[in-house]
């Protein structure tokens, strides 16, 4: 576990790269820690883990946008590349349905993903101290985030969505959803052409949280309204405090 770059300002936000060793495969898991670039800003007092979507990575534009919104509210964020994505990719995604499952399973599956995130959070806490921590991740970000929220009690609340008990780890999501007890804000796109809407609604129903809200909007999988993203960040900022 080590920092792999000095702190620098990228797209108006301070970031520093790190790497941890995957407990499942032993391979490097690259990550990035982000916070406010304002020299007058106070030290972050909360942390949010950001899970990227399928075929993207820790630097995808919308995730950087969320990190910037968090930094404006005094919250640090951390993201890692999921199995077979970003710097961990071994092949380029060409659209074959089996490619995504191969990438997921090649990184140790759901158990491997949970172990990777746990190791990354351990590292960040060793450097910055333990802080109230939440999760933000849609689509594949929920494939990763729901199991993490179910197994790691450091996750106090989460923004999830655009995913159902479906896909490479659908059975795991169905099994683990009742074990999620932290508050959840769950986003659904009503006209989702990637993940069947009914599976998203079913997964929301399975969540064991007694405090959970469903936020549904018309539109395709990737057309989550900007106001919904901003509101989800405000939700994390308010409740983590």
């Amino acid at each position: 576990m080590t920092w792999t770059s000095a702190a620098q300002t990228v797209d108006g936000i301070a970031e520093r790269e790190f790497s941890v060793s995957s407990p499942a495969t032993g391979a490097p898991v690259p990550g990035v820690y982000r916070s406010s670039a304002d020299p007058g800003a106070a030290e972050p007092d909360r942390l949010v883990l950001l899970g990227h979507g399928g075929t993207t990575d820790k630097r995808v534009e919308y995730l950087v946008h969320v990190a910037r919104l968090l930094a404006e509210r005094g919250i640090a964020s951390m993201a890692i590349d999921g199995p077979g994505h970003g710097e961990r990719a071994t092949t380029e995604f060409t659209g074959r349905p089996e490619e995504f499952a191969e990438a997921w399973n090649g990184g140790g599956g759901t158990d491997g993903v949970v172990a990777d995130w746990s190791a990354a959070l351990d590292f960040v806490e060793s450097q910055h101290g333990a802080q109230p921590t939440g999760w933000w991740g849609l689509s594949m970000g929920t494939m990763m985030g729901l199991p993490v929220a179910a197994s790691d009690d450091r996750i106090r609340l989460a923004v999830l969505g655009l995913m159902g008990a479906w896909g490479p780890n659908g059975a795991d999501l169905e099994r683990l959803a009742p074990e999620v007890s932290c508050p959840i804000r769950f986003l659904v796109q009503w006209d989702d052409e990637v993940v069947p809407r009914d599976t998203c609604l079913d997964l929301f129903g399975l969540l064991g949280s007694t405090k959970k809200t469903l936020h549904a909007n018309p539109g395709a999988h990737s057309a989550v309204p900007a106001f919904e993203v901003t509101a989800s960040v405000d939700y994390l900022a308010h409740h983590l405090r």
Side-chain angles (χ1 to χ4, degrees), residues 55-56 82-96 98-104 106:
T55 74
T56 68
H85 288 69
E87 295 179 61
R88 300 175 69 185
T90 56
T91 60
E92 184 176 350
F93 290 105
T94 63
R96 291 188 298 114
E98 61 270 24
E99 290 174 333
F100 188 66
E102 290 170 357
W104 182 267

PDB file of all heavy atoms in Angstrom, residues 55-56 82-96 98-104 106:
ATOM      1  N   THR A  55     -17.441  -0.552 -17.916  1.00  0.00           N
ATOM      2  CA  THR A  55     -16.632  -0.137 -19.068  1.00  0.00           C
ATOM      3  C   THR A  55     -16.003   1.242 -18.882  1.00  0.00           C
ATOM      4  O   THR A  55     -15.398   1.776 -19.814  1.00  0.00           O
ATOM      5  CB  THR A  55     -17.416  -0.165 -20.408  1.00  0.00           C
ATOM      6  OG1 THR A  55     -18.324   0.942 -20.463  1.00  0.00           O
ATOM      7  CG2 THR A  55     -18.172  -1.474 -20.581  1.00  0.00           C
ATOM      8  N   THR A  56     -16.111   1.838 -17.688  1.00  0.00           N
ATOM      9  CA  THR A  56     -15.444   3.108 -17.416  1.00  0.00           C
ATOM     10  C   THR A  56     -14.337   2.862 -16.390  1.00  0.00           C
ATOM     11  O   THR A  56     -13.829   1.753 -16.281  1.00  0.00           O
ATOM     12  CB  THR A  56     -16.446   4.175 -16.937  1.00  0.00           C
ATOM     13  OG1 THR A  56     -16.954   3.813 -15.644  1.00  0.00           O
ATOM     14  CG2 THR A  56     -17.614   4.297 -17.904  1.00  0.00           C
ATOM     15  N   GLY A  82     -12.299  -0.878 -10.834  1.00  0.00           N
ATOM     16  CA  GLY A  82     -12.878  -2.188 -10.613  1.00  0.00           C
ATOM     17  C   GLY A  82     -12.149  -3.245 -11.430  1.00  0.00           C
ATOM     18  O   GLY A  82     -11.335  -2.938 -12.310  1.00  0.00           O
ATOM     19  N   PRO A  83     -12.423  -4.519 -11.174  1.00  0.00           N
ATOM     20  CA  PRO A  83     -11.719  -5.600 -11.885  1.00  0.00           C
ATOM     21  C   PRO A  83     -11.916  -5.503 -13.390  1.00  0.00           C
ATOM     22  O   PRO A  83     -13.031  -5.340 -13.880  1.00  0.00           O
ATOM     23  CB  PRO A  83     -12.357  -6.872 -11.319  1.00  0.00           C
ATOM     24  CG  PRO A  83     -13.666  -6.425 -10.741  1.00  0.00           C
ATOM     25  CD  PRO A  83     -13.455  -5.029 -10.259  1.00  0.00           C
ATOM     26  N   GLY A  84     -10.802  -5.576 -14.137  1.00  0.00           N
ATOM     27  CA  GLY A  84     -10.853  -5.542 -15.590  1.00  0.00           C
ATOM     28  C   GLY A  84     -11.130  -4.176 -16.172  1.00  0.00           C
ATOM     29  O   GLY A  84     -11.380  -4.060 -17.380  1.00  0.00           O
ATOM     30  N   HIS A  85     -11.073  -3.121 -15.360  1.00  0.00           N
ATOM     31  CA  HIS A  85     -11.386  -1.764 -15.814  1.00  0.00           C
ATOM     32  C   HIS A  85     -10.208  -0.825 -15.563  1.00  0.00           C
ATOM     33  O   HIS A  85      -9.403  -1.042 -14.662  1.00  0.00           O
ATOM     34  CB  HIS A  85     -12.625  -1.232 -15.094  1.00  0.00           C
ATOM     35  CG  HIS A  85     -13.903  -1.881 -15.525  1.00  0.00           C
ATOM     36  ND1 HIS A  85     -14.194  -3.200 -15.238  1.00  0.00           N
ATOM     37  CD2 HIS A  85     -14.961  -1.401 -16.222  1.00  0.00           C
ATOM     38  CE1 HIS A  85     -15.387  -3.493 -15.742  1.00  0.00           C
ATOM     39  NE2 HIS A  85     -15.866  -2.423 -16.343  1.00  0.00           N
ATOM     40  N   GLY A  86     -10.164   0.247 -16.354  1.00  0.00           N
ATOM     41  CA  GLY A  86      -9.123   1.248 -16.167  1.00  0.00           C
ATOM     42  C   GLY A  86      -7.729   0.665 -16.292  1.00  0.00           C
ATOM     43  O   GLY A  86      -7.426  -0.063 -17.246  1.00  0.00           O
ATOM     44  N   GLU A  87      -6.893   0.945 -15.308  1.00  0.00           N
ATOM     45  CA  GLU A  87      -5.517   0.439 -15.331  1.00  0.00           C
ATOM     46  C   GLU A  87      -5.440  -1.059 -15.065  1.00  0.00           C
ATOM     47  O   GLU A  87      -4.378  -1.667 -15.229  1.00  0.00           O
ATOM     48  CB  GLU A  87      -4.676   1.197 -14.300  1.00  0.00           C
ATOM     49  CG  GLU A  87      -4.510   2.672 -14.590  1.00  0.00           C
ATOM     50  CD  GLU A  87      -3.698   3.365 -13.519  1.00  0.00           C
ATOM     51  OE1 GLU A  87      -2.522   2.988 -13.331  1.00  0.00           O
ATOM     52  OE2 GLU A  87      -4.238   4.280 -12.858  1.00  0.00           O
ATOM     53  N   ARG A  88      -6.563  -1.663 -14.691  1.00  0.00           N
ATOM     54  CA  ARG A  88      -6.587  -3.108 -14.445  1.00  0.00           C
ATOM     55  C   ARG A  88      -7.090  -3.887 -15.665  1.00  0.00           C
ATOM     56  O   ARG A  88      -7.213  -5.104 -15.620  1.00  0.00           O
ATOM     57  CB  ARG A  88      -7.475  -3.418 -13.243  1.00  0.00           C
ATOM     58  CG  ARG A  88      -7.024  -2.760 -11.964  1.00  0.00           C
ATOM     59  CD  ARG A  88      -8.008  -2.988 -10.827  1.00  0.00           C
ATOM     60  NE  ARG A  88      -8.036  -4.377 -10.380  1.00  0.00           N
ATOM     61  CZ  ARG A  88      -8.879  -4.851  -9.475  1.00  0.00           C
ATOM     62  NH1 ARG A  88      -9.771  -4.032  -8.916  1.00  0.00           N
ATOM     63  NH2 ARG A  88      -8.834  -6.120  -9.116  1.00  0.00           N
ATOM     64  N   ALA A  89      -7.374  -3.179 -16.745  1.00  0.00           N
ATOM     65  CA  ALA A  89      -7.907  -3.836 -17.944  1.00  0.00           C
ATOM     66  C   ALA A  89      -6.827  -4.685 -18.612  1.00  0.00           C
ATOM     67  O   ALA A  89      -5.667  -4.289 -18.706  1.00  0.00           O
ATOM     68  CB  ALA A  89      -8.431  -2.802 -18.922  1.00  0.00           C
ATOM     69  N   THR A  90      -7.235  -5.845 -19.066  1.00  0.00           N
ATOM     70  CA  THR A  90      -6.334  -6.710 -19.840  1.00  0.00           C
ATOM     71  C   THR A  90      -6.746  -6.768 -21.306  1.00  0.00           C
ATOM     72  O   THR A  90      -5.951  -7.096 -22.159  1.00  0.00           O
ATOM     73  CB  THR A  90      -6.326  -8.135 -19.258  1.00  0.00           C
ATOM     74  OG1 THR A  90      -7.672  -8.643 -19.223  1.00  0.00           O
ATOM     75  CG2 THR A  90      -5.760  -8.131 -17.847  1.00  0.00           C
ATOM     76  N   THR A  91      -8.010  -6.444 -21.583  1.00  0.00           N
ATOM     77  CA  THR A  91      -8.506  -6.373 -22.960  1.00  0.00           C
ATOM     78  C   THR A  91      -9.443  -5.177 -23.065  1.00  0.00           C
ATOM     79  O   THR A  91      -9.932  -4.652 -22.066  1.00  0.00           O
ATOM     80  CB  THR A  91      -9.272  -7.644 -23.368  1.00  0.00           C
ATOM     81  OG1 THR A  91     -10.400  -7.819 -22.488  1.00  0.00           O
ATOM     82  CG2 THR A  91      -8.387  -8.878 -23.300  1.00  0.00           C
ATOM     83  N   GLU A  92      -9.701  -4.747 -24.275  1.00  0.00           N
ATOM     84  CA  GLU A  92     -10.608  -3.629 -24.504  1.00  0.00           C
ATOM     85  C   GLU A  92     -12.023  -4.152 -24.681  1.00  0.00           C
ATOM     86  O   GLU A  92     -12.245  -5.157 -25.345  1.00  0.00           O
ATOM     87  CB  GLU A  92     -10.184  -2.858 -25.752  1.00  0.00           C
ATOM     88  CG  GLU A  92     -11.012  -1.617 -26.027  1.00  0.00           C
ATOM     89  CD  GLU A  92     -10.499  -0.841 -27.221  1.00  0.00           C
ATOM     90  OE1 GLU A  92      -9.404  -1.165 -27.714  1.00  0.00           O
ATOM     91  OE2 GLU A  92     -11.207   0.092 -27.661  1.00  0.00           O
ATOM     92  N   PHE A  93     -12.992  -3.465 -24.053  1.00  0.00           N
ATOM     93  CA  PHE A  93     -14.383  -3.871 -24.202  1.00  0.00           C
ATOM     94  C   PHE A  93     -14.850  -3.581 -25.629  1.00  0.00           C
ATOM     95  O   PHE A  93     -14.687  -2.471 -26.134  1.00  0.00           O
ATOM     96  CB  PHE A  93     -15.281  -3.123 -23.209  1.00  0.00           C
ATOM     97  CG  PHE A  93     -15.082  -3.544 -21.777  1.00  0.00           C
ATOM     98  CD1 PHE A  93     -14.399  -2.740 -20.891  1.00  0.00           C
ATOM     99  CD2 PHE A  93     -15.579  -4.758 -21.328  1.00  0.00           C
ATOM    100  CE1 PHE A  93     -14.215  -3.117 -19.574  1.00  0.00           C
ATOM    101  CE2 PHE A  93     -15.403  -5.150 -20.011  1.00  0.00           C
ATOM    102  CZ  PHE A  93     -14.711  -4.320 -19.130  1.00  0.00           C
ATOM    103  N   THR A  94     -15.426  -4.600 -26.262  1.00  0.00           N
ATOM    104  CA  THR A  94     -15.902  -4.439 -27.637  1.00  0.00           C
ATOM    105  C   THR A  94     -17.414  -4.583 -27.748  1.00  0.00           C
ATOM    106  O   THR A  94     -17.964  -4.448 -28.836  1.00  0.00           O
ATOM    107  CB  THR A  94     -15.242  -5.483 -28.558  1.00  0.00           C
ATOM    108  OG1 THR A  94     -15.638  -6.805 -28.138  1.00  0.00           O
ATOM    109  CG2 THR A  94     -13.726  -5.368 -28.520  1.00  0.00           C
ATOM    110  N   GLY A  95     -18.086  -4.873 -26.640  1.00  0.00           N
ATOM    111  CA  GLY A  95     -19.536  -4.987 -26.656  1.00  0.00           C
ATOM    112  C   GLY A  95     -20.058  -6.400 -26.533  1.00  0.00           C
ATOM    113  O   GLY A  95     -21.271  -6.614 -26.468  1.00  0.00           O
ATOM    114  N   ARG A  96     -19.186  -7.395 -26.524  1.00  0.00           N
ATOM    115  CA  ARG A  96     -19.635  -8.767 -26.319  1.00  0.00           C
ATOM    116  C   ARG A  96     -20.170  -8.918 -24.900  1.00  0.00           C
ATOM    117  O   ARG A  96     -19.519  -8.518 -23.942  1.00  0.00           O
ATOM    118  CB  ARG A  96     -18.492  -9.769 -26.536  1.00  0.00           C
ATOM    119  CG  ARG A  96     -18.011  -9.893 -27.965  1.00  0.00           C
ATOM    120  CD  ARG A  96     -17.022 -11.048 -28.124  1.00  0.00           C
ATOM    121  NE  ARG A  96     -15.825 -10.869 -27.323  1.00  0.00           N
ATOM    122  CZ  ARG A  96     -15.489 -11.643 -26.297  1.00  0.00           C
ATOM    123  NH1 ARG A  96     -16.280 -12.642 -25.917  1.00  0.00           N
ATOM    124  NH2 ARG A  96     -14.375 -11.418 -25.628  1.00  0.00           N
ATOM    125  N   GLU A  98     -20.342 -11.287 -22.824  1.00  0.00           N
ATOM    126  CA  GLU A  98     -19.563 -12.069 -21.870  1.00  0.00           C
ATOM    127  C   GLU A  98     -18.315 -11.338 -21.379  1.00  0.00           C
ATOM    128  O   GLU A  98     -17.693 -11.740 -20.385  1.00  0.00           O
ATOM    129  CB  GLU A  98     -19.167 -13.412 -22.475  1.00  0.00           C
ATOM    130  CG  GLU A  98     -18.299 -13.329 -23.713  1.00  0.00           C
ATOM    131  CD  GLU A  98     -19.111 -13.276 -25.004  1.00  0.00           C
ATOM    132  OE1 GLU A  98     -20.278 -12.854 -24.944  1.00  0.00           O
ATOM    133  OE2 GLU A  98     -18.548 -13.648 -26.045  1.00  0.00           O
ATOM    134  N   GLU A  99     -17.915 -10.251 -22.048  1.00  0.00           N
ATOM    135  CA  GLU A  99     -16.689  -9.551 -21.665  1.00  0.00           C
ATOM    136  C   GLU A  99     -16.777  -8.994 -20.249  1.00  0.00           C
ATOM    137  O   GLU A  99     -15.811  -9.063 -19.480  1.00  0.00           O
ATOM    138  CB  GLU A  99     -16.408  -8.410 -22.645  1.00  0.00           C
ATOM    139  CG  GLU A  99     -15.985  -8.862 -24.023  1.00  0.00           C
ATOM    140  CD  GLU A  99     -15.854  -7.696 -24.980  1.00  0.00           C
ATOM    141  OE1 GLU A  99     -16.531  -6.672 -24.787  1.00  0.00           O
ATOM    142  OE2 GLU A  99     -15.067  -7.819 -25.941  1.00  0.00           O
ATOM    143  N   PHE A 100     -17.921  -8.426 -19.911  1.00  0.00           N
ATOM    144  CA  PHE A 100     -18.072  -7.810 -18.601  1.00  0.00           C
ATOM    145  C   PHE A 100     -17.992  -8.866 -17.502  1.00  0.00           C
ATOM    146  O   PHE A 100     -17.344  -8.661 -16.470  1.00  0.00           O
ATOM    147  CB  PHE A 100     -19.398  -7.054 -18.541  1.00  0.00           C
ATOM    148  CG  PHE A 100     -19.570  -6.224 -17.306  1.00  0.00           C
ATOM    149  CD1 PHE A 100     -18.761  -5.134 -17.063  1.00  0.00           C
ATOM    150  CD2 PHE A 100     -20.538  -6.552 -16.373  1.00  0.00           C
ATOM    151  CE1 PHE A 100     -18.917  -4.365 -15.917  1.00  0.00           C
ATOM    152  CE2 PHE A 100     -20.706  -5.794 -15.224  1.00  0.00           C
ATOM    153  CZ  PHE A 100     -19.894  -4.704 -15.000  1.00  0.00           C
ATOM    154  N   ALA A 101     -18.655 -10.006 -17.717  1.00  0.00           N
ATOM    155  CA  ALA A 101     -18.610 -11.081 -16.732  1.00  0.00           C
ATOM    156  C   ALA A 101     -17.189 -11.617 -16.578  1.00  0.00           C
ATOM    157  O   ALA A 101     -16.742 -11.923 -15.462  1.00  0.00           O
ATOM    158  CB  ALA A 101     -19.557 -12.208 -17.136  1.00  0.00           C
ATOM    159  N   GLU A 102     -16.469 -11.711 -17.680  1.00  0.00           N
ATOM    160  CA  GLU A 102     -15.088 -12.190 -17.620  1.00  0.00           C
ATOM    161  C   GLU A 102     -14.222 -11.241 -16.797  1.00  0.00           C
ATOM    162  O   GLU A 102     -13.388 -11.673 -15.990  1.00  0.00           O
ATOM    163  CB  GLU A 102     -14.528 -12.332 -19.034  1.00  0.00           C
ATOM    164  CG  GLU A 102     -15.146 -13.478 -19.828  1.00  0.00           C
ATOM    165  CD  GLU A 102     -14.751 -13.436 -21.302  1.00  0.00           C
ATOM    166  OE1 GLU A 102     -14.045 -12.486 -21.699  1.00  0.00           O
ATOM    167  OE2 GLU A 102     -15.154 -14.352 -22.051  1.00  0.00           O
ATOM    168  N   ALA A 103     -14.417  -9.937 -16.990  1.00  0.00           N
ATOM    169  CA  ALA A 103     -13.650  -8.952 -16.232  1.00  0.00           C
ATOM    170  C   ALA A 103     -13.982  -9.045 -14.749  1.00  0.00           C
ATOM    171  O   ALA A 103     -13.093  -9.033 -13.889  1.00  0.00           O
ATOM    172  CB  ALA A 103     -13.941  -7.551 -16.761  1.00  0.00           C
ATOM    173  N   TRP A 104     -15.278  -9.132 -14.445  1.00  0.00           N
ATOM    174  CA  TRP A 104     -15.713  -9.205 -13.048  1.00  0.00           C
ATOM    175  C   TRP A 104     -15.151 -10.440 -12.355  1.00  0.00           C
ATOM    176  O   TRP A 104     -14.552 -10.352 -11.274  1.00  0.00           O
ATOM    177  CB  TRP A 104     -17.241  -9.214 -12.997  1.00  0.00           C
ATOM    178  CG  TRP A 104     -17.807  -9.247 -11.617  1.00  0.00           C
ATOM    179  CD1 TRP A 104     -18.172 -10.364 -10.902  1.00  0.00           C
ATOM    180  CD2 TRP A 104     -18.058  -8.124 -10.762  1.00  0.00           C
ATOM    181  NE1 TRP A 104     -18.641  -9.996  -9.665  1.00  0.00           N
ATOM    182  CE2 TRP A 104     -18.587  -8.631  -9.556  1.00  0.00           C
ATOM    183  CE3 TRP A 104     -17.906  -6.749 -10.919  1.00  0.00           C
ATOM    184  CZ2 TRP A 104     -18.944  -7.800  -8.493  1.00  0.00           C
ATOM    185  CZ3 TRP A 104     -18.262  -5.924  -9.864  1.00  0.00           C
ATOM    186  CH2 TRP A 104     -18.778  -6.448  -8.677  1.00  0.00           C
ATOM    187  N   GLY A 106     -12.679 -12.296 -13.263  1.00  0.00           N
ATOM    188  CA  GLY A 106     -11.222 -12.324 -13.278  1.00  0.00           C
ATOM    189  C   GLY A 106     -10.593 -11.599 -12.111  1.00  0.00           C
ATOM    190  O   GLY A 106      -9.436 -11.852 -11.758  1.00  0.00           O
TER     191      GLY A 106
END
